[in-house]
Amino acid sequence: MGAVALSLAACTSTPVPPAPVHIPAPIVKPEPAKPAAAPAVASAAPAPQFVPVGFAALPGWSRDDMRAAWPAFMASCGVLVKRADWKEACTIARQVNAGEERAIRLFFETFFVPHQVLAADGANSGLVTGYYEPLLHGARKRGGPYQTPLYKVPEDMVSVDLASVYPELKGMRLRGRLVGKKVLPYATRAEIERATEVTGKELMWVEDPVEAFFLQVQGSGRVQLADAQETVRVAYADQNGHPYKSIGKYLVEKGELTADQASAQGIKAWIAGHPTRQQELFNANPSYVFFKEERLPDPKVGPKGAFGVPLTPQRSVAVDATFLPLGAPLFLSTTQANSDIPMQRLVMAQDTGGAIRGAIRVDYFFGFGAEAAENAGRMKQSGMVWVLLPKQAPKR
């Protein structure tokens, strides 16, 4: 083990050119915890198949610049090193020269086995979308253009980790309101928007209700505060327990847009042309996200995902943790948004989302800013996934 580590640390080579920069994503909702209807109706989802293959079977593996993925992998290892099956690989990773592409590639090829992910029905491809960290303009006090609230978690909402009672329901939560001795469903989006119970629970106020809705879809973002002369991060705190429903799909089903038009950009254009139906559209998604404020000491660092580490732009993804292990490296083979240009790269499964359901379902994190938003809004591609597991590690 030590000899291999020294070889990795000392390895030098001519760097491989980076893979092409991406451009994807639609209307998907990153929610760290999956709401559950009731323990009595919950059932285990069919398990996917993990088929071991050689690294040569990964399309584009030899062309990806491993150095770009290394910081995200090391962030995962900060958590995974505490687990027996990951300890050896993550301990040796600390000795790898982060500036040497060949050394990093040798590390993965020495200590990991790629497994192609197949759905329970044998399908080898699924949907790849994208998300980003938006920037909104707001204030701590209501006034002027700042009329749309972002709410903190209501005090009357209870959240129960179902795994504490039913271990097979790991990752699932029951959210609701305690009335007497019963837990009843919490208010839907429409009910929250017109309720008085949440009055006084405003975290801050923002100027654009459309961007506030899309902030909930993304799960976290930044707010530039006019009355405080600072920019803060608003992070996901909790969710009302109702399932996420795509407003893009709603417009398609109503005949208002075609499937090709139902991107983030297309939906915003439809809202601009139908302002009186804005709330109708928003209410089609009963899910509602509550936020908490966080400091933003380093604007270059992304928000924390469900795995508890900061997301790395274009190297972190959200997955369904029911099927894929959080923190693990994945190799993703897809194409750029609205394009046949291949996008093949090593990414880390560091987040989850309310709309991310299935074994081959990936939401690609584009980062912060206008370009990331543009790319994320147009990403809706087919893709294949391989999960890299430490040798001898269990597959689930």
Side-chain angles (χ1 to χ4, degrees), residues 278-299:
Q278 175 179 293
Q279 198 57 50
E280 169 204 336
L281 179 62
F282 290 170
N283 289 347
N285 175 24
S287 175
Y288 198 94
V289 172
F290 304 105
F291 296 99
K292 59 185 176 182
E293 181 180 331
E294 294 182 350
R295 292 180 61 249
L296 191 66
D298 185 353

Side-chain angles (χ1 to χ4, degrees), residues 96-284:
V96 176
N97 187 338
E100 293 297 335
E101 200 277 341
R102 184 182 167 196
I104 298 171
R105 187 181 303 279
L106 178 59
F107 165 79
F108 282 115
E109 292 177 355
T110 301
F111 293 100
F112 288 82
V113 176
H115 295 74
Q116 183 167 17
V117 181
L118 303 179
D121 62 0
N124 66 358
S125 65
L127 178 63
V128 181
T129 56
Y131 67 116
Y132 68 103
E133 186 180 21
L135 175 66
L136 286 74
H137 299 276
R140 295 193 184 280
K141 296 183 179 180
R142 185 178 189 177
Y146 310 117
Q147 298 292 324
T148 300
L150 303 180
Y151 288 112
K152 297 180 283 188
V153 178
E155 294 176 358
D156 64 340
M157 192 180 82
V158 296
S159 180
V160 180
D161 181 0
L162 295 179
S164 62
V165 181
Y166 301 94
E168 67 275 16
L169 299 182
K170 181 180 178 181
M172 300 183 72
R173 287 185 174 274
L174 177 66
R175 297 176 176 87
R177 186 196 307 266
L178 189 62
V179 179
K181 295 183 178 181
K182 294 183 179 180
V183 178
L184 300 181
Y186 202 75
T188 63
R189 172 180 297 277
E191 292 166 341
I192 290 172
E193 294 284 5
R194 61 174 181 261
T196 57
E197 288 87 344
V198 290
T199 301
K201 300 302 179 183
E202 298 87 357
L203 182 65
M204 57 190 67
W205 302 81
V206 295
E207 66 177 356
D208 190 333
V210 176
E211 292 304 322
F213 178 89
F214 276 80
L215 172 67
Q216 294 193 33
V217 172
Q218 304 309 313
S220 65
R222 304 181 190 186
V223 178
Q224 191 173 66
L225 296 170
D227 55 357
Q229 298 299 308
E230 65 174 328
T231 299
V232 298
R233 174 170 280 139
V234 284
Y236 175 100
D238 212 332
Q239 182 260 358
N240 66 341
H242 290 271
Y244 171 78
K245 301 292 185 182
S246 167
I247 61 173
K249 183 177 180 180
Y250 176 83
L251 289 175
V252 171
E253 291 175 347
K254 290 288 185 180
E256 300 288 342
L257 295 177
T258 65
D260 290 341
Q261 295 171 329
S263 63
Q265 292 85 345
I267 292 169
K268 289 179 181 180
W270 184 91
I271 293 172
H274 303 79
T276 60
R277 297 182 63 188
Q278 175 179 293
Q279 198 57 50
E280 169 204 336
L281 179 62
F282 290 170
N283 289 347

